[in-house]
Amino acid sequence: MLLHYIYLLAITAEAMSGAIMGIRREMDLFGISLIATVAALGGGTVRDVLIGHYPLGWVAHPEYLAFTICAAIVTALAARKLHHFKSAFLVVDALGLVAFTIIGCDIARGFDSFHPAIVVIFGMVTGVFGGLLRDVLCNEIPLVLQREIYASVSLLTGAVYVGLLHLQVDTSVATLSALVPGFLIRLLAIRFHWELPRFNDKGIKGFE
Amino acid sequence: MLLHYIYLLAITAEAMSGAIMGIRREMDLFGISLIATVAALGGGTVRDVLIGHYPLGWVAHPEYLAFTICAAIVTALAARKLHHFKSAFLVVDALGLVAFTIIGCDIARGFDSFHPAIVVIFGMVTGVFGGLLRDVLCNEIPLVLQREIYASVSLLTGAVYVGLLHLQVDTSVATLSALVPGFLIRLLAIRFHWELPRFNDKGIKGFE
Amino acid sequence: MLLHYIYLLAITAEAMSGAIMGIRREMDLFGISLIATVAALGGGTVRDVLIGHYPLGWVAHPEYLAFTICAAIVTALAARKLHHFKSAFLVVDALGLVAFTIIGCDIARGFDSFHPAIVVIFGMVTGVFGGLLRDVLCNEIPLVLQREIYASVSLLTGAVYVGLLHLQVDTSVATLSALVPGFLIRLLAIRFHWELPRFNDKGIKGFE
C-alpha cells in the first residue's frame, strides 16, 4: 500500500529526470514526454517483456502514462525554477530506485520456477533500465554503467528482500529491512562519491 | 484492402529512408538492409512485443522482409539518382505514417481489455518507432523527438480513428476521415515547418 | 552435446569482448559485467523475445549469468595481459558466431509454422544481435553493420544448415557441414579483409 504511493512518487520523479534530459537536448514537447515516460516506465516494461508478463503495467493502468506526461509538461513549464529542487530530486530518485527494485522482485516472485538470483536480477532491471533506455535515446553512454554505486544498491536491496522472504520473514518487515538501508546507502553513495572499482585499460589498446 | 497496398508502399518508402541513412554512414550491404528493415518493420515489431502479440507480422509474412531488402538494394544501386525524388519520399513517408498508425490501432483494438487511449498509443508506436530504432542504430538522437510535428500527427490520426469507431461510424468512413486529414496536416507541417513548443533550459544547467 | 560446450566457450568469449569495450569506456564493475552479459546473451534474448519463446535461456539457466559475470571480472583483472591473446579471441569469436547461429536455428525450427527463411533469420539474430546491443550501449554505430563479412557468414551458415536438414541429412552431419565452412570463411574474411559492397553516397547529400 505504502509501496504503491512510493511507486507513484517515484515514476513522477523519474519522469521529471527524463524530461530534464529532453529539454537540455532541445527536444519538443512530444520528445520530452516520451523520454519522461521511458525513464519512468521503461524498467518495468523491459522486465515484463523479458519475463513474458502481459499486459504491461501501463497497458493495464493507462493512468501511469497520464502521470508521466503531466510530470513532463510541468517540468517543461517550470524548467527555470527546477535547480532549487536538485537535492529533492536525488532523494526521490534514491527512494524510487529501491521501491522499483522491490516491486520488480515481487512481480518476478510470482513465477514459481524462477531462481532467487533471477528474481533479484529482475528487481535490478526494474530499478535501473528506465534510466538506461533514457540515456540510449538521448545518445549517451548510460550513466548507470559508470557512476557511483547505483545498480549495486538495487542488487543489494533485492538480495536482502528476497533473502529475508526466503527465511519466512513477514513481507512488510522484509520490505522495510530492504528499503531503508538501500535508500540510506544510496544517499551516502551520492554524498561521499562511493564508486565501484574501475580497471586499467593499458594492454587492451589495440583491441578494437 | 486499400490499406494493405498503402502498407506495402509505406514499408518500401520507410525501407528506402533507412537504406539512405545506412549508405550515408558507409555501412555495407548487410548494414543497409538491416537498417532498412528496422525502419520499415520496427514500429510494428515493437508494438507486437509490447502487446505480446505473436507471431510478429514479418515472421508470419516473410515476404515483407523480401520487400524491405529489395528496397534497400535498389536504393543502394540507385543512390546517385535519388535526390530527384526527395519530395516523393516525403509524401510517401507521410502516407506511411498515417497508414501505419491506423493499422496499429486495428491490431490493438483486437484486445478487448485495452483502454482507447492505449489503442491510440499503440497506433503511434507503430507509426514512429521504426524511425526511432533506425536513428538509435545509426547513433543519432531520434529525429522524431525533435522535428516538426510528426508523432503528434500520428496521435491525432489515431484519436480521430478510434473516436469515430467508438461513435459506431462505419470502418471505411472512419479510416478515410482519419487518414486524409492526418496526411494533409503532415504535408502542411513539412511545408510550413510547424513545430511543437520547446522550452527554455536555463535553470537546469547544473542538473546532469 | 559438443555444441553445448562450444556454446559455453562462445558466451565466455563474447562476454570478454563486451568487458573489454566496457573497460575502455571507463565503466565500473557493474557496467563491465552488464556489457559482457548483453554481448554474450543478448542475441538469444532478442531472438526469444521476437519469437515469444519463454522463459529466456538465462532465466531458466542462471548459471549462464555466472559465466558471463565471472568472464567479465577475470577480464577486468587480467586486462593488462589480454593483448597477448588477441588472435585467440578472434578465433573463439568466429566459432561463437557459427555456433550461436546453429543454436538459434534449432530454437526457431521448434516452431512448425516458421518459414525456412525465418529460421535462418533467427539464427543470424542469435549470432549477431549480442554484439549489436553491446555497441548501442557503448554509444557506437554497431560494428556488424560496417565490418568485413560477419552477419553474412551467419546467414550462410544458417542457410546451409537449414537447407541440409530440409534434404533429410542427418543432424550431426548438417551441423558440421554448416559449422566448419562458416568458421573457415569467417577466419579468411578476417585475414583478407573480405567486405560486402558499399555504395556511393553522392546524390543523397541533401537528404537528411
Side-chain angles (χ1 to χ4, degrees):
Chain A
M1 223 359 229
L2 176 66
L3 211 56
H4 185 68
Y5 288 110
I6 293 179
Y7 178 73
L8 293 181
L9 186 65
I11 64 174
T12 307
E14 297 305 321
M16 294 180 87
S17 87
I20 288 168
M21 285 192 72
I23 295 166
R24 299 209 55 185
R25 275 155 196 78
E26 300 187 9
M27 291 181 185
D28 65 17
L29 191 56
F30 172 79
I32 294 168
S33 302
L34 185 77
I35 296 286
T37 302
V38 166
L41 303 176
T45 298
V46 171
R47 176 202 64 221
D48 286 347
V49 166
L50 292 178
I51 294 179
H53 176 242
Y54 295 103
L56 302 181
W58 53 267
V59 171
H61 301 278
E63 65 270 23
Y64 295 168
L65 296 175
F67 257 84
T68 61
I69 293 167
C70 288
I73 293 170
V74 168
T75 306
L77 295 176
R80 283 154 168 261
K81 303 282 169 62
L82 281 177
H83 62 289
H84 296 306
F85 303 100
K86 195 176 169 183
S87 314
F89 263 106
L90 287 173
V91 171
V92 179
D93 176 76
L95 196 58
L97 175 67
V98 290
F100 279 8
T101 301
I102 287 174
I103 291 165
C105 290
D106 275 339
I107 301 276
R109 282 174 58 233
F111 294 77
D112 289 335
S113 67
F114 286 5
H115 188 278
I118 293 296
V119 172
V120 173
I121 299 265
F122 278 124
M124 182 272 289
V125 166
T126 312
V128 311
F129 270 59
L132 191 144
L133 285 181
R134 173 200 67 199
D135 293 349
V136 167
L137 284 180
C138 288
N139 201 22
E140 305 279 337
I141 295 185
L143 252 180
V144 67
L145 305 177
Q146 304 176 300
R147 76 172 148 186
E148 334 89 350
I149 57 170
Y150 188 87
S152 321
V153 171
S154 175
L155 287 169
L156 181 72
T157 303
V160 168
Y161 180 62
V162 172
L164 289 176
L165 291 175
H166 226 67
L167 298 171
Q168 316 285 344
V169 172
D170 178 73
T171 307
S172 53
V173 175
T175 301
L176 283 177
S177 308
L179 201 89
V180 175
F183 177 59
L184 294 177
I185 292 171
R186 175 67 193 137
L187 291 186
L188 291 169
I190 296 169
R191 176 73 186 76
F192 296 108
H193 299 289
W194 288 348
E195 303 211 337
L196 283 188
R198 277 154 219 276
F199 299 90
N200 194 324
D201 72 342
K202 276 176 206 153
I204 53 173
K205 289 290 171 204
F207 237 105
E208 280 168 48
Chain B
M1 228 352 235
L2 178 65
L3 210 56
H4 183 69
Y5 288 110
I6 293 180
Y7 178 72
L8 293 180
L9 186 66
I11 63 174
T12 307
E14 297 304 321
M16 294 181 87
S17 85
I20 287 168
M21 284 192 72
I23 294 166
R24 300 209 53 185
R25 274 154 197 79
E26 301 188 9
M27 291 180 185
D28 66 17
L29 191 55
F30 172 79
I32 294 167
S33 302
L34 185 76
I35 296 285
T37 302
V38 166
L41 304 175
T45 298
V46 170
R47 177 202 63 223
D48 286 347
V49 166
L50 291 178
I51 293 179
H53 177 242
Y54 295 103
L56 303 180
W58 54 267
V59 171
H61 300 279
E63 66 270 22
Y64 294 168
L65 296 175
F67 257 84
T68 61
I69 293 168
C70 288
I73 293 170
V74 168
T75 306
L77 295 175
R80 283 156 169 261
K81 304 282 169 61
L82 282 177
H83 63 288
H84 296 306
F85 302 100
K86 195 176 170 184
S87 315
F89 263 106
L90 286 172
V91 171
V92 180
D93 175 76
L95 197 57
L97 175 67
V98 289
F100 280 7
T101 300
I102 288 173
I103 291 166
C105 290
D106 275 339
I107 301 276
R109 283 175 57 234
F111 294 78
D112 289 334
S113 66
F114 287 5
H115 188 278
I118 293 295
V119 172
V120 173
I121 298 266
F122 278 124
M124 182 274 289
V125 166
T126 311
V128 311
F129 270 59
L132 191 143
L133 285 181
R134 174 199 67 198
D135 294 350
V136 167
L137 284 180
C138 288
N139 201 22
E140 305 280 338
I141 295 186
L143 253 180
V144 67
L145 305 178
Q146 304 176 301
R147 76 172 147 186
E148 333 89 352
I149 57 169
Y150 188 86
S152 321
V153 170
S154 176
L155 287 170
L156 182 72
T157 304
V160 169
Y161 181 62
V162 172
L164 289 175
L165 290 176
H166 226 66
L167 299 170
Q168 315 286 346
V169 171
D170 178 73
T171 307
S172 54
V173 174
T175 301
L176 284 177
S177 308
L179 201 88
V180 175
F183 176 60
L184 293 177
I185 292 171
R186 174 67 192 136
L187 292 185
L188 291 170
I190 296 169
R191 178 69 186 78
F192 296 109
H193 300 288
W194 288 348
E195 303 211 335
L196 284 189
R198 277 154 219 278
F199 299 90
N200 193 325
D201 70 343
K202 275 175 206 154
I204 54 172
K205 288 289 171 205
F207 238 106
E208 279 168 48
Chain C
M1 227 355 233
L2 177 65
L3 210 56
H4 184 68
Y5 288 110
I6 293 178
Y7 178 72
L8 293 181
L9 187 66
I11 63 174
T12 307
E14 297 305 321
M16 294 180 87
S17 85
I20 287 168
M21 285 192 72
I23 295 166
R24 299 209 54 185
R25 274 155 196 80
E26 301 188 8
M27 292 180 185
D28 66 17
L29 191 55
F30 172 79
I32 295 168
S33 301
L34 184 78
I35 296 286
T37 301
V38 165
L41 304 175
T45 298
V46 171
R47 177 201 64 222
D48 286 347
V49 166
L50 292 177
I51 294 180
H53 176 242
Y54 295 104
L56 302 180
W58 53 268
V59 171
H61 300 280
E63 65 271 22
Y64 294 168
L65 296 176
F67 256 84
T68 61
I69 293 168
C70 288
I73 293 170
V74 168
T75 306
L77 295 175
R80 283 155 168 262
K81 303 283 168 60
L82 281 177
H83 63 288
H84 295 306
F85 301 100
K86 195 175 169 184
S87 315
F89 263 107
L90 287 172
V91 171
V92 179
D93 176 76
L95 196 57
L97 176 66
V98 290
F100 280 8
T101 301
I102 288 173
I103 290 166
C105 289
D106 275 340
I107 301 275
R109 283 175 56 234
F111 294 77
D112 288 336
S113 66
F114 286 5
H115 188 279
I118 293 295
V119 172
V120 174
I121 299 266
F122 278 124
M124 182 273 289
V125 166
T126 312
V128 312
F129 270 59
L132 191 144
L133 285 181
R134 174 199 67 198
D135 294 349
V136 167
L137 284 181
C138 290
N139 201 21
E140 305 279 338
I141 294 185
L143 252 180
V144 67
L145 305 178
Q146 303 176 303
R147 76 172 146 186
E148 332 91 350
I149 57 169
Y150 188 87
S152 321
V153 171
S154 176
L155 288 170
L156 182 72
T157 304
V160 169
Y161 181 62
V162 171
L164 289 176
L165 290 176
H166 225 67
L167 299 171
Q168 315 286 346
V169 172
D170 178 73
T171 308
S172 54
V173 175
T175 302
L176 283 177
S177 308
L179 200 89
V180 175
F183 177 59
L184 294 177
I185 291 170
R186 175 67 192 136
L187 291 185
L188 291 170
I190 296 169
R191 177 71 186 78
F192 296 109
H193 300 288
W194 287 349
E195 302 210 338
L196 284 189
R198 277 154 218 276
F199 300 89
N200 193 324
D201 71 342
K202 274 174 206 155
I204 53 172
K205 288 290 171 204
F207 237 106
E208 280 166 48

